[in-house]
């Protein structure tokens, strides 16, 4: 039997969808305007910047960026064209590939970060009280824990 959403759940679901879409669009617009990169590229650069030796297996990077391996490979190719990322063979497993953040890629990320953080604040946190931020964290953590198992 289908468990239909009640009125409160339906309103919450639609507000959640609209809010997340509007935030993602705002972040993408800001990064395109100020750093000439889509949000997807920013996510990849951040993941690599936080990885040991600024490198990560392509399969792990795809999971971290919540992307298919095919889509990630295409994005990494564009980042390679810009000189921000390079691919290397994985020394432990010659079949695997690593994505490595270059110095130019780190510089591009460092230049983009202040505007990105300001847009995150403007799009999300400026509209919330500290208590709402705490509750939002609890809610997002609960959903994430359920879905990640």
């Amino acid at each position: 039997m289908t468990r239909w959403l009640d009125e409160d759940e339906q309103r919450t679901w639609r507000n959640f969808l609209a809010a997340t879409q509007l935030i993602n669009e705002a972040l993408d617009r800001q990064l395109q305007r100020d750093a000439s990169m889509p949000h997807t590229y920013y996510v990849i650069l951040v993941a690599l910047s936080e990885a040991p030796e600024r490198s990560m297996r392509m399969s792990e990077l795809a999971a971290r960026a919540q992307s298919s391996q095919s889509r990630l490979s295409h994005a990494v190719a564009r980042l390679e064209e810009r000189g921000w990322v390079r691919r290397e063979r994985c020394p432990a497993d010659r079949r695997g590939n690593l994505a490595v953040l270059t110095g130019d890629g780190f510089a591009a990320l460092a230049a983009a970060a202040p505007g990105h953080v300001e847009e995150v604040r403007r799009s999300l946190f400026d509209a919330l009280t500290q208590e709402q931020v705490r509750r939002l964290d609890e809610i997002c953590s609960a959903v994430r824990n359920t879905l990640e198992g």
Side-chain angles (χ1 to χ4, degrees):
M1 173 176 235
T2 302
R3 296 178 352 167
W4 297 106
L5 301 179
D6 65 28
E7 190 176 320
D8 288 341
E9 290 168 330
Q10 186 67 252
R11 184 184 62 254
T12 300
W13 172 241
R14 289 183 181 183
N15 279 330
F16 170 80
L17 287 177
T20 55
Q21 182 173 352
L22 289 167
I23 290 169
N24 285 327
E25 289 171 356
L27 294 174
D28 200 57
R29 267 193 317 274
Q30 179 274 319
L31 284 165
Q32 289 281 12
R33 181 187 67 235
D34 298 345
S36 300
M37 77 172 82
H39 190 240
T40 302
Y41 292 7
Y42 186 86
V43 169
I44 292 167
L45 296 177
V46 167
L48 290 173
S49 77
E50 294 173 344
E53 299 178 34
R54 295 184 182 158
S55 70
M56 190 178 292
R57 288 182 70 94
M58 292 285 286
S59 56
E60 183 182 346
L61 183 56
R64 178 95 182 267
Q66 298 178 329
S67 176
S68 70
Q69 288 194 27
S70 170
R71 189 170 292 205
L72 176 78
S73 184
H74 178 76
V76 168
R78 301 284 92 52
L79 292 168
E80 283 179 300
E81 289 171 3
R82 295 178 183 209
W84 294 352
V85 172
R86 71 175 182 277
R87 291 184 217 221
E88 296 178 358
R89 283 278 185 220
C90 182
D93 173 7
R94 300 302 284 169
R95 294 176 299 157
N97 286 311
L98 297 173
V100 181
L101 183 65
T102 67
D104 286 348
F106 189 79
L109 176 61
H116 175 71
V117 170
E118 186 56 39
E119 187 62 34
V120 169
R121 286 198 169 286
R122 190 193 69 71
S123 298
L124 179 62
F125 294 110
D126 287 351
L128 304 176
T129 66
Q130 282 303 110
E131 178 59 23
Q132 288 171 320
V133 170
R134 187 190 62 73
R135 288 195 329 250
L136 180 61
D137 179 54
E138 287 177 5
I139 292 164
C140 291
S141 294
V143 171
R144 186 174 178 185
N145 289 338
T146 297
L147 295 174
E148 289 180 343

